[in-house]
Amino acid sequence: VRIERDLLEKNNAVAKANRERARANRLSIFNLIGGPGAGKTALLEATIPRLGKRWGVSVLEGDQSTDNDARRIKEAGCTAFQINTGTGCHLDATMVANGLSELRPREGTIVFVENVGNLVCPALFDLGERAKIVVMSVTEGEDKPLKYPHIFRAAELFVLTKLDLQPLVALDEERCIGFARQVNPKIRTLRVSSRTGQGMDDFIAWIGETAAKATVMSETTP
Amino acid sequence: VRIERDLLEKNNAVAKANRERARANRLSIFNLIGGPGAGKTALLEATIPRLGKRWGVSVLEGDQSTDNDARRIKEAGCTAFQINTGTGCHLDATMVANGLSELRPREGTIVFVENVGNLVCPALFDLGERAKIVVMSVTEGEDKPLKYPHIFRAAELFVLTKLDLQPLVALDEERCIGFARQVNPKIRTLRVSSRTGQGMDDFIAWIGETAAKATVMSETTP
């Protein structure tokens, strides 16, 4: 337990430095967390062309192995850098610090960090992000917020994805969202289909507003 | 890194004791590993009535929080014991040792251990099982075996679930299975739908044969 605490303390110190760096460069960093196949990369693929009109966007991709996701993001017309964690189960603040040095995002832009596909461990690690976003698909079952409460407590936004598959699976959306609010009464929830575009306007609006706030904050905060 | 090695060594010692205990009691323990919503519990719900005719079955359920899955398993007519890991991201051999003491499976029976929904961390922890089974659904995307190679290397069997959703998602089954074989040429693969029952006979046959071998082995091994 003490070892884990030391590790987290060291991570938090680097996360704090990342946050200061983001403020200095007016970057809005969003940390996307969800299980494998939750639809994180597809959500980014749908987001990039929609945000790109107004915002500069770049992406840090986390995976145990392969650069498949960075390639998908680049094909969507966006700068991306892939971090491979090997046996590691999450991104930590140092990986993100190094990733930012490779990515070199322009001032006043948005950086998405797509964490390793894991609904569990990434919840514990602050990366210096503006907000954690938990991503879960309708195929995963409505009780997931109760079974994995830590990530739903840590996140500001819950994006329920693959809405186009909803008619085919048994998931009760209202119950699922109710469970998320039960563990985190302040969580915002959006329902999207990256495939059909349903709900994407709301997601883009949330990202834009939250990023704008971060920019204003960094302009007024010393 | 050294801390992690010490942890794994300690775990492996307990796993060895679990394996000896399983041999002495002619238990066949299967460790089910997959992301959240991969369909592990649904696979067990479909398995229990089918296996129950010939084999005694009981289940150890792992989750961060709730006893939802143990309740589902009990409703399927099976003895189950729930282990909650809190912030923990995997079951370890000590949790399984304690869980077996609570579960008290009869001699010559099958014990399924459903790990915490996580395709990453459980790959590293030997629980003393007869075999690891990796469970992934068709909605997760075909490149998962390449992106999470450690679990596909550690598993003897790969069960591709939710086959009834296959017509609606873009997953290329042959490619996905090819990727799994690329990281582990010896892995067996089965395709099932717990909902329609498609492929369940093959899964039951694999479990039965593997369990029978374990029973014969424990009868002939000193």
Side-chain angles (χ1 to χ4, degrees):
Chain A
V1 174
R2 227 197 69 189
I3 294 154
E4 195 176 290
R5 209 172 51 210
D6 289 352
L7 242 170
L8 286 176
E9 271 170 24
K10 204 191 143 210
N11 180 76
N12 288 348
V14 181
K16 201 181 159 198
N18 288 350
R19 197 163 274 120
E20 278 157 17
R21 181 176 177 180
R23 185 176 293 153
N25 292 289
R26 297 183 299 116
L27 297 175
S28 297
I29 304 177
F30 296 98
N31 180 3
L32 266 67
I33 299 175
K40 298 180 291 302
T41 315
L43 179 64
L44 289 180
E45 286 173 315
T47 298
I48 288 159
R50 287 172 169 90
L51 265 184
K53 291 167 198 160
R54 205 186 135 203
W55 294 89
V57 184
S58 57
V59 177
L60 283 182
E61 278 292 341
D63 270 304
Q64 286 203 300
S65 189
T66 82
D67 63 349
N68 290 4
D69 286 356
R71 278 195 279 120
R72 282 172 64 184
I73 295 299
K74 283 175 191 166
E75 278 164 26
C78 184
T79 312
F81 181 75
Q82 180 81 47
I83 302 165
N84 282 144
T85 61
T87 54
C89 54
H90 61 272
L91 294 177
D92 64 30
T94 302
M95 293 173 191
V96 169
N98 296 339
L100 287 173
S101 298
E102 297 284 343
L103 198 62
R104 303 176 61 172
R106 282 184 296 111
E107 273 202 27
T109 60
I110 290 170
V111 180
F112 288 105
V113 178
E114 183 182 338
N115 224 306
V116 179
N118 184 337
L119 203 53
V120 181
C121 314
L124 299 176
F125 289 81
D126 183 10
L127 305 181
E129 70 277 320
R130 165 63 194 81
K132 287 187 176 69
I133 300 172
V134 58
V135 179
M136 181 198 131
S137 90
V138 296
T139 67
E140 294 181 42
E142 62 211 24
D143 64 352
K144 292 301 172 288
L146 297 180
K147 288 167 73 177
Y148 305 89
H150 303 284
I151 179 57
F152 284 85
R153 247 171 239 144
E156 265 183 55
L157 177 66
F158 166 26
V159 182
L160 187 61
T161 59
K162 306 197 190 181
L163 216 58
D164 51 299
L165 295 178
Q166 167 62 19
L168 303 140
V169 292
L171 183 121
D172 179 336
E173 287 173 50
E174 295 304 328
R175 250 187 120 209
C176 180
I177 291 167
F179 288 149
R181 293 211 178 108
Q182 194 175 317
V183 300
N184 179 0
K186 289 198 286 185
I187 202 164
R188 272 289 306 277
T189 303
L190 296 174
R191 312 172 201 197
V192 308
S193 166
S194 306
R195 196 193 276 181
T196 67
Q198 192 186 350
M200 282 304 299
D201 287 348
D202 294 332
F203 180 67
I204 298 300
W206 188 91
I207 292 288
E209 282 161 29
T210 311
K213 266 188 254 170
T215 308
V216 173
M217 270 178 63
S218 25
E219 278 165 356
T220 56
T221 316
Chain B
V1 176
R2 225 197 70 194
I3 292 153
E4 195 177 290
R5 208 174 52 211
D6 289 352
L7 241 169
L8 286 175
E9 272 171 21
K10 204 191 143 209
N11 179 78
N12 288 347
V14 181
K16 200 180 161 197
N18 288 350
R19 197 162 273 122
E20 278 159 16
R21 182 175 174 181
R23 185 176 293 152
N25 293 288
R26 295 183 301 115
L27 297 175
S28 297
I29 304 176
F30 295 98
N31 180 2
L32 264 67
I33 298 175
K40 298 180 292 301
T41 315
L43 179 64
L44 289 180
E45 287 173 316
T47 298
I48 288 159
R50 288 173 168 89
L51 264 185
K53 291 167 200 158
R54 201 185 137 202
W55 295 90
V57 184
S58 57
V59 177
L60 283 182
E61 278 292 341
D63 271 302
Q64 287 202 299
S65 189
T66 82
D67 63 348
N68 290 3
D69 286 356
R71 278 194 279 122
R72 281 172 65 184
I73 295 299
K74 283 175 192 165
E75 278 164 26
C78 185
T79 312
F81 182 74
Q82 180 80 48
I83 302 167
N84 282 144
T85 60
T87 53
C89 53
H90 61 272
L91 294 177
D92 65 29
T94 302
M95 294 174 192
V96 169
N98 296 339
L100 287 173
S101 297
E102 296 285 344
L103 199 63
R104 302 176 64 171
R106 281 185 296 112
E107 273 203 25
T109 60
I110 290 170
V111 179
F112 288 105
V113 178
E114 183 182 337
N115 225 305
V116 178
N118 185 336
L119 203 53
V120 181
C121 313
L124 299 176
F125 288 81
D126 183 10
L127 305 180
E129 71 276 322
R130 166 63 193 82
K132 287 188 177 67
I133 300 173
V134 58
V135 179
M136 181 198 133
S137 90
V138 295
T139 68
E140 294 181 42
E142 63 211 25
D143 64 353
K144 293 300 173 288
L146 296 180
K147 288 167 74 179
Y148 305 89
H150 303 284
I151 179 57
F152 284 86
R153 246 170 239 143
E156 263 182 58
L157 176 67
F158 167 26
V159 182
L160 186 62
T161 58
K162 307 196 189 181
L163 215 60
D164 51 301
L165 295 178
Q166 167 62 18
L168 302 139
V169 293
L171 184 122
D172 179 335
E173 287 173 49
E174 294 305 327
R175 249 185 120 210
C176 181
I177 291 166
F179 289 150
R181 292 211 179 109
Q182 194 174 316
V183 300
N184 179 358
K186 289 197 288 187
I187 203 164
R188 271 291 304 276
T189 304
L190 296 173
R191 312 173 201 197
V192 308
S193 166
S194 305
R195 195 194 274 181
T196 67
Q198 190 185 349
M200 283 304 299
D201 287 349
D202 293 333
F203 181 66
I204 298 299
W206 189 90
I207 293 288
E209 281 162 29
T210 311
K213 265 189 254 170
T215 308
V216 174
M217 270 178 64
S218 26
E219 278 166 357
T220 55
T221 316

